[in-house]
Amino acid sequence: MDSTDDRDDAAWNRQVRHETETQRLDRNWSNLLSELRVVQTGVQLLTGFLLTLPFQQRFQDLSDTQEVIYLVTVTCSVTATMMLVAPVGLHRLLFRQHALPTLVATGQRLAIGGITVLGFALVGVVLLIFSFVVNMLAGVIAAAVALLMFFGFWILPALVGRRSTDNAPTPHETT
């Protein structure tokens, strides 16, 4: 969100919700933390699962290509975990520093980045599992379907939602 969008959002919240800037930031931070609680559990379980795989007996049966897929997938999953946990650490480091605008803006960027990288980790997991259990072609097809689902469930609705809100009246047009 650029500064114009942020100003429009703040104006809308003042007019419609009767919120001060601090109330808006508090609500945004609370919403972000609630969303992170949901996604953190899943990404941490995925990362933990992936980190145990090399200790399984059949791990040595992976082809060289599957090992690369595994390592890229682990990297994505660990990166997603770090990005999705980072806002909480940032909050601790900035506690009582009156840095709520920084926390909300940075937390927003980290959450979007973390969810994006998580999507790629999930695609990698699908590729790895299908290629190992069936064959590489099945893995590529399943990963392509997972990638389409990622865009269809996560990215496309957000883009459509943004486009529809871009056409919504601004606060001064609604009165």
Side-chain angles (χ1 to χ4, degrees):
M1 190 186 289
D2 68 17
S3 61
T4 303
D5 289 340
D6 197 41
R7 282 193 303 271
D8 289 345
D9 182 53
W12 185 90
N13 280 290
R14 270 192 307 279
Q15 182 176 352
V16 176
R17 291 189 166 157
H18 309 290
E19 286 181 322
T20 65
E21 181 65 13
T22 302
Q23 289 169 325
R24 182 179 74 92
L25 288 168
D26 285 340
R27 180 179 48 79
N28 288 342
W29 180 246
S30 179
N31 289 345
L32 179 64
L33 289 179
S34 294
E35 294 163 5
L36 289 174
R37 281 185 195 100
V38 171
V39 75
Q40 282 174 348
T41 303
V43 73
Q44 288 169 341
L45 287 170
L46 174 64
T47 302
F49 162 74
L50 287 169
L51 293 176
T52 65
L53 285 182
F55 303 102
Q56 304 301 314
Q57 208 169 18
R58 293 204 50 208
F59 187 80
Q60 63 191 355
D61 295 341
L62 292 179
S63 69
D64 290 344
T65 301
Q66 289 168 327
E67 286 181 9
V68 170
I69 294 166
Y70 168 77
L71 291 172
V72 169
T73 301
V74 166
T75 301
C76 286
S77 189
V78 168
T79 301
T81 300
M82 289 179 178
M83 292 178 83
L84 293 168
V85 172
V88 176
L90 185 61
H91 180 260
R92 278 297 99 207
L93 292 171
L94 295 176
F95 187 65
R96 293 188 177 172
Q97 301 298 309
H98 308 286
L100 201 50
T102 300
L103 286 170
V104 171
T106 304
Q108 164 76 357
R109 286 191 298 275
L110 287 165
I112 289 172
I115 290 170
T116 301
V117 179
L118 172 60
F120 289 115
L122 292 171
V123 170
V125 165
V126 168
L127 175 59
L128 182 64
I129 290 173
F130 275 78
S131 71
F132 185 77
V133 173
V134 184
N135 60 41
M136 188 55 76
L137 178 60
V140 169
I141 292 169
V145 170
L147 188 61
L148 286 172
M149 290 170 63
F150 171 60
F151 282 104
F153 293 144
W154 293 1
I155 307 298
L156 189 60
L159 293 175
V160 169
R162 278 188 171 231
R163 199 169 302 138
S164 67
T165 58
D166 287 346
N167 297 328
T170 59
H172 60 275
E173 294 173 342
T174 59
T175 57

